[in-house]
């Protein structure tokens, strides 16, 4: 027995078996026993650490000091990097949504593209509005606009819905400030500016292939009518009615009376969304073009820090879309609190995933995987994609797939001299794998089915294929670029 344990802890096949068993335990805990991913990741990481023979003091520290333990450094390292970014990004999305930005954006694009181009307009709405809002919030907000567009255009609901959900899925998987890309930045040491650039470069071709090409193809072959109960606005109006602002009062108060408010312009919404992206990219390009420690670079570095850039955007949105439009500071505080409630569990999942990755690194499994991969001639970007795909298909959560794969692949790229661009492309491969083949174990699958009146079979034919096309095309772009620059 002792010899077997020693073999598992010290040999290449043994360490690979330990890693494989740990992932199997993780999947069984999530899929079979319906354990929360946060608990499952934490439990699996602790079990793996003990099985690999790591000292207890290294895993959890000592009764007097635990700050250097894997548990605290694994959690704290990643959460210190992403929590502020995700929190501010969530608040920015909430104020943009509450202001009616999605309505004016959809109306403008529909007028611009006309009735025949309405599906493309819906795709662009999803793409643009998906930058600051989470995927599920985007569905809640934009679904009524899809119903109206489909009723007016007279085509299948699928024709208008697929481009929109492709835009939301692409931004959620590939672009900061969404949790997956931000977590990958921390796990792999990638600048968020490079993640934005590579996310657009890899994700946009996938969006076009999945949302516009596949969406148009399947939308003409699967006919789904808009049920009367889905319509929340008159479909014959030439223009959408004025947005009604509902602002919650303080705890214990009744909601404030709904009052008509003047809707923001498309240019204003676009400018607010662009603020953090421009500032972050300014710092990224400034670091390449300006002299080190020069005054302009110092200014760009400060303003382009993701937390600072998002804070500036949030403050601008609070003033222009909130205070200037009649909201009080107290009401904005309530909105902030409401929007941040769902973020807690998400951060715990990411932190637990980072701990799991830290354990994998400490056991030496990462070095073993690097050696095995090198002998097999398998590029790291392909390995990253395969692992992410496997985890996504097995357990359904894109976030779990991303943080687990990032923890496994992160140690493989250390010390190999990869550029920021190459690391960003590997991160994009992981992101691409995390969205492949959404099916019945994915909450997003049922959300699409419910909101767009699709049967399970129709959801598999439309949404599941769309996600796979988006994944494969985006990964193909990332892999080609990686081969050219690495």
């Amino acid at each position: 027995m002792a010899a077997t344990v020693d073999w598992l802890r010290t040999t290449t096949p043994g360490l690979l078996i330990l890693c494989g068993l740990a992932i199997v335990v993780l999947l069984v805990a999530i899929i079979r026993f319906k354990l929360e991913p946060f608990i499952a990741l934490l439990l699996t990481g602790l079990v793996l650490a003990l099985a690999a023979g790591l000292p207890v003091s290294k895993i959890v520290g000592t009764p007097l000091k635990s700050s250097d333990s894997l548990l605290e450094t694994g959690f704290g390292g990643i959460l210190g990097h992403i929590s502020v970014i995700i929190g501010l990004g969530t608040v920015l999305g909430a104020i943009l949504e509450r202001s009616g930005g999605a309505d004016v954006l959809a109306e403008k694009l529909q007028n611009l593209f006309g009735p025949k181009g309405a599906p493309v307009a819906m795709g662009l709405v999803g793409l643009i509005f998906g930058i600051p809002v989470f995927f599920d919030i985007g569905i809640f907000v934009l679904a009524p606009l899809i119903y109206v567009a489909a009723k007016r255009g007279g085509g299948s609901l699928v024709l208008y819905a697929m481009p929109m959900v492709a835009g939301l899925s692409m931004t959620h998987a590939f672009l900061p400030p969404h949790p997956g890309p931000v977590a990958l930045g921390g796990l792999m040491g990638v600048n968020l500016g490079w993640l934005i650039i590579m996310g657009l470069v890899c994700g946009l071709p996938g969006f076009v292939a999945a949302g516009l090409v596949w969406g148009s193809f399947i939308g003409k072959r699967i006919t789904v009518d808009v049920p009367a109960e889905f319509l929340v606005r008159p479909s014959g109006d030439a223009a959408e009615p004025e947005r009604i602002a509902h602002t919650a009062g303080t705890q214990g108060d009744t909601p404030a009376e709904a009052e008509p408010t003047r809707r923001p312009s498309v240019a204003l919404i676009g400018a607010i969304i662009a603020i953090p992206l421009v500032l972050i990219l300014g710092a990224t390009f400034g670091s390449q073009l300006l002299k080190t420690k020069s005054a302009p670079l110092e200014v760009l570095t400060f303003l382009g820090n993701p937390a600072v850039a998002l804070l500036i955007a949030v403050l601008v949105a609070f003033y222009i879309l909130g205070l200037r439009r009649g909201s009080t500071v107290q009401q904005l505080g309530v909105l902030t609190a409401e929007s941040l409630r769902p973020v807690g569990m998400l951060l715990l999942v990411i932190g637990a995933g980072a701990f799991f990755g830290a354990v994998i690194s400490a056991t030496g499994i990462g070095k073993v995987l690097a050696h095995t991969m090198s002998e097999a001639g398998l590029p790291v970007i392909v390995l990253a994609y395969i692992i992410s795909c496997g985890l996504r298909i097995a357990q359904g959560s894109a976030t779990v797939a991303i943080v687990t794969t990032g923890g496994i692949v992160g140690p493989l790229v250390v010390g190999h001299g990869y550029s920021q661009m190459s690391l960003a492309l590997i991160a994009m491969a992981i992101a691409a794998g995390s969205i492949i083949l959404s099916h019945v174990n994915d909450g997003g699958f049922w959300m699409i089915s419910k909101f767009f009146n699709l049967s399970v079979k129709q959801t598999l034919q439309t949404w599941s294929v769309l996600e796979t096309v988006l994944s494969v095309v985006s990964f193909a772009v990332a892999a080609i670029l990686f081969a050219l620059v690495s």
Side-chain angles (χ1 to χ4, degrees):
M1 181 66 179
T4 301
V5 171
D6 185 64
W7 179 81
L8 285 171
R9 293 174 174 178
T10 59
T11 67
T12 296
L15 286 171
L16 289 174
I17 289 173
L18 272 182
C19 184
L21 287 175
I23 292 174
V24 169
V25 169
L26 174 66
L27 296 177
V28 170
I30 294 173
I31 298 169
R32 175 68 179 84
F33 296 103
K34 310 299 181 185
L35 203 59
E36 277 289 342
F38 156 60
I39 301 295
L41 282 163
L42 180 59
L43 177 63
T44 306
L46 290 171
V47 170
L48 175 59
L50 293 171
L54 295 179
V56 171
S57 59
K58 185 171 185 178
I59 301 171
V60 297
T62 68
L64 298 178
K65 184 181 180 182
S66 60
S67 58
D68 295 332
S69 67
L70 289 173
L71 187 59
E72 289 203 12
T73 57
F75 263 88
I78 187 66
L79 293 182
H81 175 76
I82 72 168
S83 55
V84 176
I85 299 172
I86 292 176
L88 289 170
T90 302
V91 174
L92 178 61
I95 186 65
L96 288 171
E97 180 270 320
R98 189 67 61 90
S99 72
D103 293 312
V104 297
L105 184 60
E107 182 181 328
K108 180 68 175 180
L109 288 172
Q110 286 186 73
N111 292 338
L112 183 63
F113 284 88
K116 292 184 178 180
V120 178
M122 290 297 98
L124 292 177
V125 170
L127 197 65
I128 298 170
F129 200 68
I131 293 173
V133 301
F134 286 171
F135 178 83
D136 53 352
I137 302 299
I139 295 290
F140 298 152
V141 174
L142 299 179
L145 305 179
I146 296 295
Y147 306 152
V148 174
K151 195 67 176 179
R152 287 176 175 172
S156 171
L157 188 56
V158 174
L159 183 65
Y160 301 87
M162 289 302 107
M164 187 272 286
V165 296
L168 290 175
S169 181
M170 178 273 188
T171 52
H172 189 75
F174 294 99
L175 294 179
H178 289 282
V182 173
L184 285 172
L187 289 167
M188 304 187 66
V190 189
N191 178 279
L192 286 193
W194 277 109
L195 286 176
I196 292 171
I197 296 169
M198 292 300 105
L200 291 170
V201 169
C202 299
L204 286 176
F207 161 74
V208 172
L212 304 185
V213 177
W214 170 252
S216 176
F217 175 83
I218 198 65
K220 295 174 182 177
R221 287 160 177 79
I222 295 181
T223 301
V224 178
D225 295 325
V226 183
E229 63 269 21
F230 277 28
L231 291 172
V232 295
R233 319 170 197 200
S235 60
D237 294 348
E240 302 296 343
E242 287 282 320
R243 176 82 170 191
I244 302 298
H246 297 276
T247 53
T250 58
Q251 189 174 8
D253 294 341
T254 57
E257 293 295 323
E259 298 178 357
T261 59
R262 182 172 55 85
R263 297 186 299 171
S265 68
V266 173
L268 179 60
I269 294 297
I272 293 174
I273 293 174
I275 286 172
L277 301 180
V278 171
L279 290 175
I280 293 170
L281 289 175
T284 300
F285 287 118
S287 65
Q288 304 295 317
L289 301 175
L290 300 175
K291 292 182 179 180
T292 305
K293 296 184 178 180
S294 63
L297 180 57
E298 292 290 308
V299 172
L300 286 176
T301 300
F302 178 78
L303 296 178
N305 178 275
V308 175
L310 280 165
L311 179 60
I312 292 171
V314 167
L315 293 176
V316 170
F318 273 178
Y319 176 69
I320 296 178
L321 301 179
L323 299 177
R324 284 187 58 183
R325 293 161 61 82
S327 295
T328 65
V329 174
Q330 187 179 29
Q331 288 169 340
L332 292 175
V334 171
L335 173 63
T336 300
E338 289 176 348
S339 66
L340 290 176
R341 284 192 187 115
V343 174
M345 182 55 73
L346 178 64
L347 292 175
L348 287 174
V349 170
I350 293 173
F355 165 65
F356 183 71
V359 170
I360 288 177
S361 177
T363 59
I365 293 173
K367 293 180 180 179
V368 168
L369 279 174
H371 178 71
T372 303
M373 177 185 65
S374 177
E375 288 187 342
L378 191 64
V380 66
I381 195 168
V382 176
L383 178 70
Y385 182 67
I386 291 173
I387 295 174
S388 185
C389 285
L391 289 168
R392 158 66 166 188
I393 294 169
Q395 52 79 42
S397 169
T399 301
V400 171
I402 283 177
V403 297
T404 306
T405 308
I408 294 172
V409 174
L412 306 185
V413 299
V414 175
H416 286 272
Y418 289 118
S419 66
Q420 283 287 296
M421 181 177 178
S422 296
L423 290 174
L425 288 169
I426 296 171
M428 291 305 102
I430 296 173
S434 76
I435 57 172
I436 197 170
L437 196 61
S438 169
H439 61 95
V440 294
N441 64 357
D442 176 22
F445 177 92
W446 298 106
M447 190 179 297
I448 298 298
S449 175
K450 173 185 175 183
F451 274 88
F452 300 114
N453 198 31
L454 300 171
S455 67
V456 171
K457 179 180 179 181
Q458 289 172 330
T459 310
L460 288 168
Q461 292 172 324
T462 56
W463 165 249
S464 298
V465 176
L466 180 148
E467 285 284 82
T468 302
V469 172
L470 177 58
S471 170
V472 171
V473 172
S474 299
F475 168 68
V477 174
I480 291 170
L481 290 175
F482 184 81
L484 293 175
V485 303
S486 298

